[in-house]
Amino acid sequence: MPTAAERLIEFLAAQGVDRAFCVPGESYIALLDALHAHNRVDLVTCRSEGGAGFMAVADAKLTGRPGVALVSRGPGACNASIAVHTAEQDAVPLILLVGQVEKRDLRRNAFQEIDYQVMFRGIAKWIGEATEPDQVPELIARAYAMAMGGVPGPVVLSLPEDVLAMECRAPLLPATLPAPLPPAPADVARLAALLREAERPILLAGHGLDTPGNPADDGRAALRRLAEAWQLPVAVSFRRQDLFPNDHPLYAGDLGLRNPDAQRAAFAEADLVLALGTRLTDITTQGWSWPAPGQRLVHVCADPRFLGWLFPAELAIAADARATIAALAATPPAAPAARQGWIRRLRTLHLADCEVAHGDHPDGVAFAEVAKLVESVAAPNAIVTLDAGTFGAPFYRKLAWRPPQRLLAPVSGAMGFGVPAAVAAALRCPDRPVICAVGDGGALMTSGEIAVAMARGASVKLLLSDNGSYASIRIHQEKAHPGRVSGTTLENPDFAQWCAAFRLPVLRVDSRADFPRLAEALRAPGPLAAVVRTSLQAVLPRSAA
Ligand SMILES: Cc1ncc(C[n+]2csc(CCOP(=O)(O)OP(=O)(O)O)c2C)c(N)n1
């Protein structure tokens, strides 16, 4: 008779889950044992639960299947919580399996016990706990369905260590994944009529079109078909630049932090916003200000709980974004001639914001120039992962992303994501170049995970921006309290030596004269750590520089 742990792993393997990330714990020793003999699930041993969780999130972004992380109770779960939050904000399916205290100790504040129902209530889509081994097949099937269904997100399954080791008599359940919900025909007809009439429409594309694991029903291809057929300018929601070719005449830019005023003013003139597969959260809506009152909105989201919050929609459709595009395909597209001028106007406004200033700075190079260099050398199938920090800003606004290139960046803004994401990407896609940009702040949070890449021969190219500062925060500080630097200065190790200790070939980039060598090193196969002496002055407000 298999143990509950073996049943659980069998279920995941049956769904095509072929990799899980862990930091081991005595609280789930039976799960580790179930994986010992398993030839279909690759267990990646990580150096922190935050790193393991971020790797699982990144893996899910690339596969479209749930990322799986295994962590120990209490401290392990606390470390992993950052990935649960990121999966929720990024709409990524994540299954966090937490070893729990023995069932007789539950709710007795035992050693390292946490009640995960309470802990994760605000950030996980669903939280379960098995108190009997026979519940495990049911609970893991439910965890899978909850992570994948509607707007994907994180689930947490608490597994008492003794329950995991017990025999499980209940059979495996097949996974239930409902077909993507199509819109009602009457709504499709109304949507087509609105699209036909609109002179100044904007298609706002979000997470619902990020469907990497399904080539036959690829959200990016569907989005492009829709935009081209109906001549709709496309804007993407926060940090989803890789949904649509940014060099396409219909690409109007992203909705991100601090969109330029002229672009915001133009977006506010749209006579129809088709928000497709997005939750319309604060940054995408420019602080809840767009779509503005009076602008026509069609909001399509797979989960009706996200419809009608702050933005009354003329047409609110609780449906899958791809299914909506497929339904529209039966209607002959049309566009008023006046729309072409609008498309050109949005395009011009976007391009006006893509320029990067070139120039020398006494304290190093402007990282925006490094980002532009990445754009010029990145292969058509490159994967770029970003940590959170001001070094990342040009990657979002100044570069042109072209699918199948991928940009793995945390919508949650979590520092520490970049390096683990790059390691996960290099493991998942060994034949694609993987480049990671990270600041000196984020680097020392989770970059220990480079050891995982090293151990497995996975190739990551690291761009480490060393500006001696938590610069994003320093910028805010200079604006709010000029000249009063508090808590934002960093005393760094010698990053070149640090990277060399991980056996990464190191290149120091101290000035613009080093750019040709950097370009060459980025183009060459194999791992790399480029330690960039980044100018802080280049990003500080003028008064502080
Ligand atoms: C886990 C986490 N802690 C804190 C923050 C707040 N925060 C956002 S950016 C930033 C500074 C990033 O510094 P660094 O990595 O050096 O990049 P830089 O901004 O200097 O380019 C901080 C502290 C965060 N987003 N995530």
Side-chain angles (χ1 to χ4, degrees):
M1 186 71 64
T3 63
E6 286 165 343
R7 278 273 193 260
L8 187 150
I9 300 299
E10 262 324 307
F11 174 88
L12 292 176
Q15 310 327 313
V17 171
D18 58 0
R19 181 163 290 146
F21 302 89
C22 83
V23 174
E26 70 276 29
S27 59
Y28 68 91
I29 212 86
L31 262 186
L32 290 170
D33 188 64
L35 284 158
H36 174 73
H38 216 286
N39 56 7
R40 274 156 59 209
V41 183
D42 171 26
L43 183 63
V44 180
T45 304
C46 306
R47 300 309 179 100
S48 76
E49 291 83 357
F54 281 143
M55 285 194 216
V57 169
D59 200 42
K61 286 187 186 226
L62 289 168
T63 63
R65 288 191 300 272
V68 176
L70 288 68
V71 300
S72 195
R73 60 197 173 193
C78 287
N79 272 351
S81 62
I82 192 167
V84 176
H85 181 248
T86 293
E88 195 282 326
Q89 296 236 316
D90 288 45
V92 169
L94 172 73
I95 299 178
L96 181 68
L97 301 173
V98 186
Q100 175 60 301
V101 300
E102 292 186 14
K103 68 174 184 166
R104 61 153 198 210
D105 290 337
L106 283 169
R107 308 297 98 83
R108 286 176 162 168
N109 199 20
F111 176 62
Q112 298 185 334
E113 190 196 358
I114 293 179
D115 180 343
Y116 302 107
Q117 290 281 359
V118 176
M119 174 179 173
F120 286 110
R121 192 161 51 206
I123 49 176
K125 270 182 89 177
W126 178 83
I127 303 143
E129 188 165 64
T131 49
E132 295 300 330
D134 287 355
Q135 293 172 332
V136 167
E138 169 195 332
L139 289 175
I140 188 64
R142 191 156 164 200
Y144 185 86
M146 288 297 285
M148 291 290 283
V151 175
V155 298
V156 179
L157 184 52
S158 160
L159 299 157
E161 62 174 291
D162 52 340
V163 172
L164 278 172
M166 290 175 192
E167 288 188 345
C168 176
R169 288 179 310 273
L172 269 193
L173 293 178
T176 302
L177 271 190
L181 205 63
D187 287 343
V188 179
R190 176 94 185 100
L191 172 57
L194 289 171
L195 287 176
R196 233 175 258 126
E197 278 166 28
E199 292 190 353
R200 297 180 308 283
I202 292 183
L203 196 177
L204 170 61
H207 70 265
L209 293 158
D210 191 355
T211 56
N214 193 346
D217 191 12
D218 177 57
R220 287 171 174 80
L223 171 64
R224 184 172 179 162
R225 278 197 307 274
L226 174 74
E228 287 177 346
W230 288 82
Q231 286 299 291
L232 299 169
V234 175
V236 292
S237 68
F238 185 45
R239 299 201 167 156
R240 301 207 185 264
Q241 282 81 348
D242 67 7
L243 284 178
F244 192 78
N246 297 184
D247 54 354
H248 196 289
L250 287 168
Y251 184 65
D254 67 303
L255 272 305
L257 300 163
R258 294 180 293 274
N259 273 48
D261 288 346
Q263 194 182 37
R264 287 171 61 144
F267 284 8
E269 286 178 39
D271 60 1
L272 177 69
V273 178
L274 169 55
L276 195 51
T278 172
R279 287 172 286 184
L280 289 179
T281 50
D282 60 337
I283 295 179
T284 294
T285 61
Q286 305 289 291
W288 313 116
S289 70
W290 182 81
Q295 280 189 291
R296 263 186 164 166
L297 170 67
V298 177
H299 190 182
V300 182
C301 184
D303 188 335
R305 286 179 308 157
F306 296 108
L307 298 172
W309 282 14
L310 252 80
F311 302 97
E314 177 157 339
L315 189 55
I317 303 179
D320 178 80
R322 285 163 305 155
T324 304
I325 295 176
L328 262 177
T331 311
R339 201 180 283 175
Q340 291 307 319
W342 168 246
I343 290 169
R344 281 194 298 275
R345 184 172 156 211
L346 293 185
R347 182 77 191 147
T348 306
L349 284 168
H350 166 65
L351 290 176
D353 194 35
C354 295
E355 291 301 314
V356 160
H358 297 276
D360 294 314
H361 300 271
D363 62 339
V365 302
F367 205 74
E369 291 201 62
V370 175
K372 272 291 188 192
L373 189 142
V374 169
E375 177 185 51
S376 66
V377 301
N381 64 348
I383 300 171
V384 175
T385 74
L386 296 182
D387 211 83
T390 198
F391 66 87
F395 287 86
Y396 300 117
R397 204 41 75 66
K398 310 290 183 191
L399 272 58
W401 299 93
R402 306 168 193 88
Q405 285 179 337
R406 290 298 308 270
L407 172 65
L408 304 187
V411 174
S412 70
M415 290 171 75
F417 176 82
V419 171
V423 176
L427 289 174
R428 177 59 60 191
C429 308
D431 46 2
R432 296 173 71 168
V434 177
I435 300 171
C436 166
V438 61
D440 44 1
L444 289 190
M445 286 189 173
T446 53
S447 290
E449 304 300 348
I450 297 169
V452 177
M454 195 182 88
R456 291 187 162 237
S459 177
V460 169
K461 288 186 159 58
L462 213 61
L463 290 168
L464 202 159
S465 167
D466 182 356
N467 58 10
S469 176
Y470 286 125
S472 305
I473 312 305
R474 172 79 190 276
I475 293 166
H476 287 291
Q477 199 163 57
E478 289 292 349
K479 286 180 187 158
H481 308 286
R484 291 168 65 84
V485 181
S486 175
T488 51
T489 300
L490 294 173
E491 192 66 46
N492 283 325
D494 182 333
F495 278 117
Q497 281 191 37
W498 187 73
C499 292
F502 286 94
R503 299 202 285 275
L504 288 173
V506 176
L507 176 70
R508 286 184 189 269
V509 179
D510 293 326
S511 71
R512 302 172 77 231
D514 296 318
F515 283 178
R517 279 195 301 139
L518 175 59
E520 196 183 322
L522 285 171
R523 278 198 196 97
L528 171 76
V531 179
V532 182
R533 190 173 71 99
T534 295
S535 169
L536 182 59
Q537 302 301 327
V539 291
L540 289 182
R542 220 171 271 285
S543 55

